[in-house]
Amino acid sequence: MAFEPKEPQKKLKYKELRIYSDEELNNYTEEELKDFKCKHDIPDLDELEKGPWPSFVADAKREALHRRKLAEDRMMVGRDVVEDLMGILQLSFDHGETHWKHGGIVGVFGYGGGVIGRYSDVPEQFPSIVHFHTLRVNQPNSKFYNTDYLRTLCDLWEYRGSGMLNMHGSTGDIIFLGTTTEQLEPVFYELGHVLQQDLGGSGSNLRTPSCCLGKARCEWSCIDTQDMCYELTHFYQDELHRPAFPYKFKFKFDGCPNGCVASIARADMSFIGTWKDNIRIDQEAVQAYIGGELKPNAGAHSGRDWGKFDIQKEVINLCPTKCMWMEDGKLMIDNKECVRCMHCINVMPRALRPGSDTGCSILCGGKAPILEGAQMSMLTIPFMKCEPPYDNIKDVVDKIWDWWMEEGRNRERLGELIQRHGVPKFLEILDIPPMPQMVTEPRSNPYIFWKEEDVEGGWKRSIEDYRARHKR
Amino acid sequence: MEEIKKAILDFAEGSKKTKFYFSDIAKAVHKILPDAKSREIKKAATALINEEKLIYFSLGSTTMYGLKGRGITEDH
């Protein structure tokens, strides 16, 4: 399906939008970089540059040198921001505690999220980072962008911010690190009106939804993750920008159970593509894998010789539910036992493909540890069709939010509320019956309790009569 | 809407605290207007933000509401 933007999209041209010339962008030599010395003494940060891994310190030093050599009127925030940032980090290492104060009333007008106030508690020592606010920029879906977009973004942040970014934060946003309060509205204006780029979510909001590459690049994608993410991001604009939730709430969209955005581990509501019919098998291709004409895993592990491909050892025996076997030279699958681990499909992508009756599984309650430890999302709806405008999905979302907003304690994630109230209550809210797929280990975590009206005779049986036949 | 806005402001002005969670605002409104829906309360709170009577106070992970002019009101 072709992409249909909600509003006409401009084609960004860096050469028309750029702020800096090539000379300004390449204003230092590698020799100068070698001789660069930060204005603060930063022995522990220098240490981080050693060893085999790339370090953010090396990048920060490049940026610091670059800013040192830019003309004074080419930056709207302090020239020394990067050097001061390295200095305050060294001070935090020395003291074993942070020197950032969190929280504040900064933001852009009308938005309750997207800007996170950061203030230094040692302003005299590091004057250029007294304010060092973070902005979250809602990343394009699947993080698809071209160099015109990226360069324009970088120029904007060099001019109005520290020039330092995180690509990307764990929610997926592009994170602009460090600017002053006065620059927030101008950055927001440029992002919105020139780059057609919104801020992301922060605080007690719907956080920036994120998705995998989806059907744009991946033949396994069972749902159009980009379209779903785009639609729901637009539909829930108010929830994204105007906080009224008990705490954060995350949507993530994975096109298949490989879960490239790890929605199951990170999102309060994970949408994972799946199929209802059978795995599609091309028996000729199966033979080609067995015969060695096709490389397993599409050649991904060809860096060393693993020996001849052994379908029994490498695929069939590794099936978690043992639902595969060879019969008369053909690969057979008992599809009703398949748990969508994706291993066989990953190993033999030319021979096996997800089914063609596709939709998504909805899982709820995933989160990182603050209370009760980390939790994976729990399978709530095994299968739901995903077709624009996704009204069936929105119905589920609305029910969950109504319950969570009503019952959730301050700073309580959905997963914690489900734990506190119990899964039966959650299923009651959604008006769906309990299903075997929701049970982690059959018969070891029975969480469904009968209600009186569900039991013949109710609770009125005689316990004496029962005890007459069953000793305690 | 105007009734909800008044209830929010009365709660904010009468409270010893200077920053409130949305749910505390909603509870206070429900005491006066039991039938008010969460989304209506949110709309009223947003309107008060736009009128610059309330402010957002963001901790990064959590957002609270405050009454403009009380508690931390300047950018520091």
Side-chain angles (χ1 to χ4, degrees):
Chain A
M1 191 181 70
F3 173 57
E4 289 173 12
K6 306 262 182 203
E7 58 182 89
Q9 301 285 295
K10 286 187 270 184
K11 201 167 172 68
L12 299 176
K13 290 274 175 218
Y14 179 61
K15 65 180 178 190
E16 291 162 13
L17 298 168
R18 67 186 301 172
I19 296 170
Y20 296 104
S21 65
D22 283 343
E23 291 70 39
E24 285 173 312
L25 293 177
N26 301 296
N27 65 356
Y28 64 91
T29 64
E30 292 300 310
E31 279 305 308
E32 286 174 305
L33 184 64
K34 271 185 205 159
D35 297 335
F36 174 80
K37 197 160 175 357
C38 179
K39 73 179 201 181
H40 303 288
D41 200 20
I42 51 168
D44 292 333
L45 270 73
D46 290 334
E47 201 62 33
L48 290 174
E49 273 194 285
K50 296 175 186 167
W53 311 110
S55 169
F56 68 93
V57 177
D59 292 339
K61 285 182 177 175
R62 276 183 185 273
E63 179 61 16
L65 176 59
H66 173 57
R67 289 181 80 87
R68 251 190 213 181
K69 299 193 75 180
L70 275 179
E72 193 62 48
D73 63 349
R74 304 295 280 153
M75 296 164 287
M76 301 302 283
V77 304
R79 177 188 296 284
D80 295 337
V81 281
V82 185
E83 293 187 61
D84 276 358
L85 185 79
M86 290 194 277
I88 201 172
L89 183 55
Q90 178 64 49
L91 190 70
S92 295
F93 285 156
D94 293 341
H95 292 173
E97 59 188 9
T98 184
H99 284 287
W100 292 113
K101 295 186 285 182
H102 286 199
I105 57 171
V106 292
V108 292
F109 189 70
Y111 274 33
V115 180
I116 299 142
R118 295 282 184 258
Y119 302 91
S120 158
D121 66 6
V122 277
E124 291 82 17
Q125 257 174 292
F126 306 105
S128 34
I129 53 169
V130 176
H131 302 187
F132 202 72
H133 310 315
T134 298
L135 274 103
R136 291 193 182 157
V137 180
N138 190 331
Q139 80 283 5
N141 274 353
S142 310
K143 306 182 180 72
F144 282 2
Y145 29 59
N146 60 19
T147 49
D148 282 295
Y149 171 82
L150 277 181
R151 286 173 179 211
T152 308
L153 211 62
C154 289
D155 270 24
L156 170 66
W157 195 239
E158 187 77 79
Y159 187 59
R160 297 200 176 273
S162 71
M164 287 186 289
L165 315 93
N166 278 350
M167 302 289 280
H168 294 251
S170 57
T171 306
D173 307 89
I174 298 165
I175 312 274
F176 280 178
L177 293 167
T179 194
T180 55
T181 307
E182 303 77 61
Q183 292 304 318
L184 293 172
E185 288 290 352
V187 172
F188 182 52
Y189 183 89
E190 293 286 326
L191 283 172
H193 293 267
V194 180
L195 279 102
Q196 293 186 299
Q197 181 61 67
D198 201 1
L199 292 186
S202 69
S204 307
N205 272 341
L206 171 64
R207 299 301 181 85
T208 316
S210 75
C211 63
C212 69
L213 302 178
K215 290 191 171 176
R217 297 284 296 163
C218 181
E219 64 195 71
W220 290 328
S221 191
C222 298
I223 51 176
D224 190 342
T225 55
Q226 295 181 313
D227 188 55
M228 275 180 85
C229 189
Y230 185 67
E231 170 62 30
L232 268 67
T233 304
H234 277 264
F235 190 77
Y236 292 120
Q237 278 289 291
D238 203 49
E239 284 72 13
L240 227 164
H241 298 308
R242 283 165 272 283
F245 287 155
Y247 201 19
K248 61 181 93 166
F249 195 94
K250 298 177 183 177
F251 287 150
K252 292 191 194 294
F253 305 88
D254 275 312
C256 80
N258 273 333
C260 290
V261 290
S263 64
I264 193 169
R266 307 193 297 153
D268 297 85
M269 240 181 130
S270 329
F271 301 90
I272 303 180
T274 188
W275 59 93
K276 212 159 53 161
D277 51 350
N278 296 337
I279 292 175
R280 287 174 284 174
I281 308 177
D282 177 344
Q283 295 291 354
E284 272 183 33
V286 173
Q287 291 306 320
Y289 279 106
I290 294 170
E293 294 110 66
L294 290 174
K295 287 184 175 170
N297 292 93
H301 303 299
S302 54
R304 70 177 254 206
D305 184 10
W306 295 90
K308 192 174 180 308
F309 175 64
D310 182 342
I311 192 169
Q312 189 67 39
K313 190 174 142 202
E314 294 177 48
V315 179
I316 295 173
N317 290 354
L318 296 179
C319 174
T321 54
K322 307 286 177 237
C323 70
M324 308 178 86
W325 68 97
M326 294 298 289
E327 196 172 299
D328 301 330
K330 286 188 171 176
L331 179 67
M332 310 297 280
I333 301 175
D334 182 2
N335 278 277
K336 70 177 188 304
E337 296 296 334
C338 172
V339 291
R340 312 293 190 263
C341 83
M342 292 293 286
H343 177 71
C344 60
I345 295 174
N346 291 338
V347 175
M348 305 192 296
R350 290 277 290 275
L352 300 173
R353 286 187 295 161
S356 47
D357 187 2
T358 56
C360 77
S361 296
I362 300 177
L363 298 89
C364 295
K367 65 182 197 74
I370 290 185
L371 298 175
E372 306 286 342
Q375 250 172 246
M376 300 279 252
S377 291
M378 178 198 74
L379 183 64
T380 308
I381 298 177
F383 187 87
M384 196 169 242
K385 277 283 181 195
C386 296
E387 280 154 13
Y390 309 104
D391 288 339
N392 52 346
I393 305 271
K394 290 169 189 167
D395 282 348
V396 178
V397 171
D398 289 347
K399 279 182 191 168
I400 290 177
W401 281 351
D402 284 345
W403 180 56
W404 180 52
M405 285 176 74
E406 196 68 36
E407 298 291 340
R409 290 177 178 160
N410 294 328
R411 297 174 65 85
E412 184 173 53
R413 296 284 290 269
L414 176 65
E416 290 149 7
L417 176 64
I418 296 171
Q419 251 184 353
R420 185 158 63 82
H421 277 233
V423 175
K425 180 72 188 167
F426 182 53
L427 299 181
E428 206 178 295
I429 296 300
L430 293 177
D431 198 21
I432 53 174
M435 284 166 272
Q437 291 95 326
M438 297 168 183
V439 183
T440 316
E441 301 154 52
R443 297 186 179 82
S444 76
N445 63 339
Y447 56 80
I448 298 300
F449 299 98
W450 298 103
K451 288 182 176 167
E452 187 165 8
E453 58 267 27
D454 298 330
V455 180
E456 205 179 327
W459 299 151
K460 293 188 179 65
R461 69 177 178 176
S462 157
I463 192 70
E464 288 76 22
D465 176 49
Y466 177 82
R467 284 287 165 231
R469 288 176 284 115
H470 302 274
K471 287 225 177 302
R472 191 179 277 278
Chain B
M1 174 72 112
E2 289 307 315
E3 281 179 318
I4 299 176
K5 278 160 76 173
K6 185 175 177 313
I8 294 173
L9 287 177
D10 287 349
F11 163 70
E13 281 160 6
S15 173
K16 283 180 193 164
K17 292 180 183 171
T18 59
K19 303 287 175 285
F20 325 98
Y21 286 106
F22 177 79
S23 62
D24 297 334
I25 293 176
K27 267 183 215 156
V29 173
H30 280 141
K31 273 186 196 164
I32 299 162
L33 305 162
D35 295 332
K37 290 184 179 148
S38 289
R39 295 207 168 175
E40 289 169 351
I41 300 171
K42 182 187 166 182
K43 278 183 188 162
T46 304
L48 288 168
I49 295 270
N50 291 338
E51 290 167 22
E52 301 191 35
K53 289 178 182 159
L54 288 186
I55 49 165
Y56 288 124
F57 181 85
S58 172
L59 295 160
S61 63
T62 317
T63 314
M64 301 173 93
Y65 290 75
L67 191 65
K68 196 173 172 81
R70 278 186 62 193
I72 297 175
T73 57
E74 288 175 29
D75 181 26
H76 57 69

